[in-house]
Amino acid sequence: MRLLVLGAGPGGYVAALKAAQLGAEVIVVEDTEVGGTCLNRGCIPTKALVASAEAIHKAKKLKDFGVDVSGEITPNLSRIMERKNKVVSTQVKGIRSLFKSWGVTLIEGKGMLLTPGKVEIEKKDGSVEIVEADKIIIATGSKPAQIPIFPFDGEHILSSDDALNIKSIPKSLIIVGAGVIGCEFACIFRELGTEVTMVEMMPGAISTEDPEIARLLEKELKKKKIKLMTEVKVERVEGQHDGIHVGLAGGKELVAEKLLVSIGRSLNTEGIGLEAIGIKKGSRGEIEVNEHMETNIEGIYAIGDVTGGMLLAHVASKEGTVAAYNACGIEKKIDYSVVPAAIFTSPEIASVGLREDQASEKGIDYITGHFQFRALGKAHAMGEISGFVKVVADKETDRLLGVHIIGPHASDLIHEAAVAIKAGLKVRDIADTIHAHPTLSEGLMEAAEDVHGEAIHVPKPT
Amino acid sequence: MNFPDDLKYHREHTWVKVSGKKATIGITDYAQDALGDIVYIDLPEIDAEISKDAEFSEIESTKATSSVIAPVSGTIIEVNEDLEESPEIINEDPYGKGWIAVLELTDPSEIDDLLDAADYERYIEEEAK
């Protein structure tokens, strides 16, 4: 069985490797670089920058930790970018090497579906190759969405892709869109020394997260002197000699050296032949798929961002695995019941399962437990006391429904909760499990205890 | 614990020093002691209008986060910028160097609602029971 995968991002390359492991002959077509957005323009490079930002932050606080420094702490942008590029290229080489190891053929070029079994590939050298395949997985991903009246120019109006490759640290930056990407960049740039102003249409930042978490993040952003303007729309953008002028609805004008637009992603459904072969798309242009990741055309699957959905790399990878199994004749269904998500702001945010409003919507009578990181010895020892853990549980069955964390290492801590929810565990199961001391994980244990009013490190309620 | 006689006190543990139509405000010795080591204060903005009995600031200590309640209503005309770098000054000297803001009073008669030092001290003793 020959499988052709269109796109080598976290969805495509995982699907390709899985199918190869299952014995299929696999060809991957990639028009930019192996690893897709995640590896080259998203997850990995941003986390490399976050690591540099954390290093700067720690360096500025060395005195607090009893370390004397002589001299200035200065970010060296070209070194920061060099490091980021090295991290990325090592990962890219790793995937190419995995392809070789598993016998996956990589064709570098832009692929377009001609018929349900035939793909035309325009290669980088201009030549065209036609490849026939028994099954096809479409994994073309997404790209930064721009505001049509002021498109990206890579110089003054930046996309997240551009922000990752800046050549100098801007003195000032306006960020349009205070979602996950906007907030992560706000923290990175602020740490580099940029004056950051964020403009958001919704009433608050990261509006898809638990409101208590979002409110605390807003406070932390304020502490960093990041200015956040909410319920505000951008009406006009003009480049002038003194910088980018951004006119807001209501008359106010902001001026900064650069503008970063992080309002969302647009799906890569153009120019790949979907219309020609009759692939069904949804209202937002997303490719529609069933629980086997199959489109309306038998033998053609679609995974990752191009199908809309959560726009998360790990979701794309899971979908890739499911699609690969189905393409190879082994039935599998995608399960979205437990999808952890992490935001690499400072402090980090992570969540899995239901928010309170989602539990309400499902008609579940729920209870919550909270625990502040500042009540944990480990957090104090580390010098990172801001944040909390919130547990949402079913009042009747005590089943764990959701966990929301803002604080140090939230992105790692969340997985205890993810496993617990997947296994249908009760809050008491977490509360009754001994957690090593002193660790941040004790925060989850005490939040679980707090659901039943049994947390120890909490003063008696008045 | 210290409760200077020349100040007026709000039940939510803030103090006021009146000077004509202006007033300086801060948190009491009882409050700073209960909070523990203060690590951050969210200072109000100049020109902000604050209302008696409503939250106008937030203080974070190593133990907890706490609302700071306005003892009187007015417009902020000055804030203690030293507290940005060194919020612990509030712990060290809550009535002197730890002042939080100066405001122009909207309604000087609100002072009559506040407690004097002796009444505030009595109030705290009652609360502790």
Side-chain angles (χ1 to χ4, degrees):
Chain A
M1 194 281 286
R2 181 193 278 177
L3 169 70
L4 186 144
V5 182
L6 208 56
Y13 87 73
V14 167
L17 291 171
K18 189 74 206 163
Q21 287 174 1
L22 293 172
E25 183 201 334
V26 184
I27 297 174
V28 178
V29 179
E30 171 54 51
D31 73 355
T32 316
E33 179 54 273
V34 164
T37 293
C38 166
L39 218 48
N40 297 286
R41 302 173 291 281
C43 325
I44 302 300
T46 49
K47 265 77 276 166
L49 294 187
V50 165
S52 286
E54 272 171 12
I56 297 168
H57 181 72
K58 204 67 175 273
K60 291 196 187 135
K61 291 198 325 177
L62 283 173
K63 206 153 164 229
D64 292 353
F65 291 93
V67 178
D68 291 331
V69 189
S70 55
E72 295 289 309
I73 306 288
T74 330
N76 179 332
L77 188 71
S78 62
R79 263 299 294 146
I80 291 174
M81 289 303 176
E82 235 177 80
R83 177 183 185 275
K84 178 261 296 175
N85 292 335
K86 184 92 202 289
V87 168
V88 168
S89 66
T90 307
Q91 296 305 114
V92 169
K93 282 198 195 99
I95 301 197
R96 283 174 176 268
S97 160
L98 283 173
F99 278 176
K100 277 208 180 68
S101 171
W102 287 95
V104 170
T105 305
L106 174 67
I107 301 179
E108 298 192 66
K110 181 122 200 264
M112 189 169 80
L113 295 154
L114 293 177
T115 72
K118 213 187 279 185
V119 174
E120 179 187 276
I121 303 158
E122 196 187 306
K123 298 204 274 206
K124 288 188 176 158
D125 60 10
S127 63
V128 172
E129 190 177 333
I130 310 263
V131 176
E132 286 183 11
D134 302 299
K135 302 278 168 83
I136 294 175
I137 298 179
I138 302 170
T140 50
S142 65
K143 57 182 180 283
Q146 59 185 358
I147 302 172
I149 50 170
F150 34 94
F152 302 130
D153 64 9
E155 255 301 316
H156 301 288
I157 302 176
L158 312 175
S159 66
S160 54
D161 293 0
D162 300 321
L164 288 169
N165 291 300
I166 44 160
K167 299 284 182 286
S168 64
I169 301 173
K171 285 205 174 51
S172 51
L173 178 69
I174 295 166
I175 300 180
V176 177
V180 171
I181 294 175
C183 289
E184 283 188 6
F185 274 112
C187 293
I188 292 169
F189 276 104
R190 186 70 200 109
E191 204 57 68
L192 292 174
T194 306
E195 203 184 283
V196 177
T197 304
M198 304 183 75
V199 177
E200 167 59 53
M201 232 168 49
M202 300 289 278
I206 52 165
S207 42
T208 46
E209 290 294 319
D210 173 284
E212 273 184 74
I213 299 253
R215 296 300 73 77
L216 187 58
L217 178 68
E218 286 170 0
K219 279 196 221 166
E220 294 293 316
L221 293 176
K222 188 174 182 194
K223 273 193 218 174
K224 295 181 213 288
K225 306 250 197 297
I226 292 169
K227 193 149 193 270
L228 171 65
M229 303 176 69
T230 53
E231 286 185 297
V232 150
K233 263 192 169 162
V234 173
E235 276 184 349
R236 188 181 40 88
V237 168
E238 222 182 285
Q240 291 181 26
H241 65 277
D242 62 343
I244 285 273
H245 287 240
V246 176
L248 307 175
K252 194 160 176 162
E253 195 187 68
L254 304 171
V255 186
E257 193 184 313
K258 292 197 199 284
L259 174 67
L260 167 61
V261 178
S262 49
I263 53 168
R265 311 273 299 171
S266 58
L267 313 183
N268 292 333
T269 50
E270 305 293 311
I272 53 175
L274 301 181
E275 301 74 20
I277 64 168
I279 297 260
K280 190 155 187 277
K281 294 198 275 186
S283 55
R284 287 162 296 131
E286 76 278 20
I287 297 178
E288 286 188 355
V289 290
N290 60 22
E291 56 194 353
H292 297 117
M293 306 313 304
E294 200 167 20
T295 65
N296 58 313
I297 297 185
E298 201 189 314
I300 303 193
Y301 303 80
I303 58 172
D305 286 6
V306 82
T307 64
M310 285 170 253
L311 306 186
L312 292 169
H314 41 283
V315 171
S317 296
K318 194 61 176 175
E319 290 171 345
T321 308
V322 168
Y325 270 111
N326 287 305
C328 292
I330 302 163
E331 202 219 331
K332 289 266 186 231
K333 291 187 190 163
I334 189 73
D335 175 10
Y336 295 118
S337 59
V338 178
V339 179
I343 309 178
F344 295 86
T345 42
S346 167
E348 279 185 12
I349 292 169
S351 57
V352 67
L354 303 177
R355 294 188 309 259
E356 291 185 62
D357 62 293
Q358 291 169 323
S360 282
E361 238 169 86
K362 287 180 179 259
I364 304 174
D365 194 12
Y366 70 86
I367 31 173
T368 60
H370 282 78
F371 198 73
Q372 300 280 327
F373 278 107
R374 75 185 64 214
L376 279 183
K378 185 68 174 357
H380 281 270
M382 288 166 63
E384 289 180 59
I385 60 173
S386 290
F388 63 86
V389 178
K390 176 198 272 196
V391 167
V392 181
D394 186 312
K395 194 169 189 179
E396 210 188 296
T397 63
D398 201 39
R399 256 190 65 216
L400 185 60
L401 298 173
V403 170
H404 308 270
I405 307 178
I406 176 167
H409 299 270
S411 62
D412 293 315
L413 298 173
I414 200 67
H415 294 94
E416 178 181 344
V419 172
I421 296 176
K422 188 136 207 320
L425 295 180
K426 300 193 165 117
V427 164
R428 284 213 180 278
D429 291 314
I430 297 198
D432 290 349
T433 301
I434 300 176
H435 286 63
H437 177 80
T439 62
L440 298 171
S441 294
E442 293 176 273
L444 179 54
M445 182 183 77
E446 297 236 22
E449 288 171 341
D450 188 57
V451 168
H452 300 292
E454 291 168 4
I456 293 288
H457 293 89
V458 161
K460 187 170 176 183
T462 42
Chain B
M1 224 152 268
N2 182 25
F3 308 113
D5 287 323
D6 60 336
L7 305 178
K8 288 291 201 179
Y9 299 82
H10 187 286
R11 282 181 175 76
E12 292 293 343
H13 314 294
T14 44
W15 56 263
V16 188
K17 185 175 187 155
V18 183
S19 178
K21 286 203 78 193
K22 291 204 214 149
T24 308
I25 60 180
I27 66 169
T28 67
D29 196 16
Y30 174 82
Q32 71 77 20
D33 184 67
L35 280 167
D37 296 334
I38 295 172
V39 297
Y40 177 73
I41 173 166
D42 185 13
L43 291 166
E45 307 265 332
I46 307 277
D47 292 336
E49 307 256 331
I50 68 170
S51 304
K52 179 171 178 288
D53 305 330
E55 179 186 311
F56 78 98
S57 171
E58 203 180 57
I59 285 181
E60 252 181 71
S61 71
T62 52
K63 283 201 285 183
T65 306
S66 187
S67 297
V68 187
I69 302 300
V72 285
S73 311
T75 312
I76 305 277
I77 53 177
E78 228 186 304
V79 289
N80 186 352
E81 314 240 320
D82 290 341
L83 298 181
E84 272 185 24
E85 277 301 311
S86 312
E88 66 275 9
I89 297 174
I90 299 176
N91 292 117
E92 290 158 16
D93 189 9
Y95 302 112
K97 295 208 182 74
W99 66 273
I100 296 175
V102 178
L103 41 98
E104 213 167 281
L105 294 170
T106 333
D107 180 7
S109 72
E110 284 176 338
I111 306 288
D112 303 334
D113 292 338
L114 301 176
L115 305 168
D116 64 21
D119 287 332
Y120 178 65
E121 200 170 342
R122 252 191 302 273
Y123 168 71
I124 293 177
E125 273 164 32
E126 279 301 311
E127 259 217 347
K129 285 193 191 134

